[in-house]
Amino acid sequence: MVSAKVHQLLNQQINKEFYSAYLYLDFSNYFKARGLDGFANWYLIQAQEERDHAMLFYTYLQNENMPVTLDAIAKPDKVLNSDMTVLQAGLEHEQYVTQLINDIYTAAYEVKDFRTMQFLDWFVKEQGEEETNANDLISKMELFGSDPKGLYMLNQELGARVYSAPSLVL
Ligand code: MG
């Protein structure tokens, strides 16, 4: 049995992950309008991954016979007024999501909900990777982004990213 508090946090995380997908779609749209299709591709794939995360929480609750309640998805609230602002907003958002995952983990730990902790282990690792990716992108932009040729190359690199389904299967 999942505790009421853990259940509430897991259910809320479905919404948070769909919001993440929505936020990254907004980022992708920003770069598409800028003519930077590679950056747009990178964030479009990021959005697909977030949708996958949402579905993992959704499926986990269903598998545990816990009710799923879907709520309204908030409007993307980041102000996107420069390329670097978008990249920084991405990092801040991932740090926020890491905190959310840690909060659910803490709640599960407190009630010795080992199954939920094991489920969340994948997300703990995933958040480490998400923060690394967001940081790396900022570093590359700082190094190469101010030069048109550098920006062109970086755009090419990000355009090569392909979607792959999450390694966690429920
Ligand atoms: Mg996520």
Side-chain angles (χ1 to χ4, degrees):
M1 255 317 256
V2 176
S3 81
K5 186 181 178 191
V6 172
H7 173 226
Q8 188 251 321
L9 291 173
L10 287 169
N11 190 80
Q12 177 185 275
Q13 195 63 26
I14 299 170
N15 189 273
K16 299 287 185 183
E17 299 290 345
F18 275 125
Y19 172 79
S20 299
Y22 219 38
L23 183 67
Y24 287 130
L25 276 185
D26 204 32
F27 289 8
S28 186
N29 184 53
Y30 165 90
F31 282 114
K32 190 77 182 171
R34 279 268 290 134
L36 289 167
D37 282 14
F39 283 76
N41 172 66
W42 202 87
Y43 282 114
L44 187 63
I45 290 169
Q46 198 64 26
Q48 288 175 290
E49 283 195 2
E50 300 303 343
R51 181 205 58 203
D52 290 338
H53 297 167
M55 294 310 295
L56 285 167
F57 282 96
Y58 174 88
T59 304
Y60 179 72
L61 283 179
Q62 287 185 337
N63 288 353
E64 292 300 308
N65 287 312
M66 298 300 289
V68 169
T69 309
L70 298 177
D71 207 344
I73 300 165
K75 184 179 171 177
D77 63 344
K78 304 283 189 185
V79 180
L80 314 178
N81 50 22
S82 73
D83 299 345
M84 192 53 103
T85 310
V86 178
L87 270 49
Q88 291 281 5
L91 175 60
E92 278 169 31
H93 183 68
E94 288 304 335
Q95 288 166 340
Y96 166 67
V97 174
T98 296
Q99 190 56 55
L100 293 173
I101 299 294
N102 289 348
D103 289 346
I104 309 172
Y105 207 107
T106 302
Y109 177 81
E110 280 168 358
V111 294
K112 294 188 169 67
D113 181 349
F114 300 116
R115 197 179 301 160
T116 296
M117 286 159 66
Q118 191 178 52
F119 165 69
L120 289 172
D121 280 339
W122 186 86
F123 287 91
V124 172
K125 186 163 179 279
E126 173 70 13
Q127 280 313 118
E129 289 168 10
E130 297 282 34
E131 287 189 38
T132 299
N133 289 341
N135 268 310
D136 286 354
L137 199 46
I138 290 168
S139 297
K140 284 178 184 175
M141 197 64 169
E142 281 170 351
L143 283 167
F144 314 121
S146 57
D147 171 67
K149 288 197 193 94
L151 185 63
Y152 179 81
M153 297 291 284
L154 187 52
N155 187 57
Q156 294 282 101
E157 181 189 323
L158 298 178
R161 184 182 184 186
V162 291
Y163 167 77
S164 64
S167 56
L168 178 61
V169 179
L170 297 179

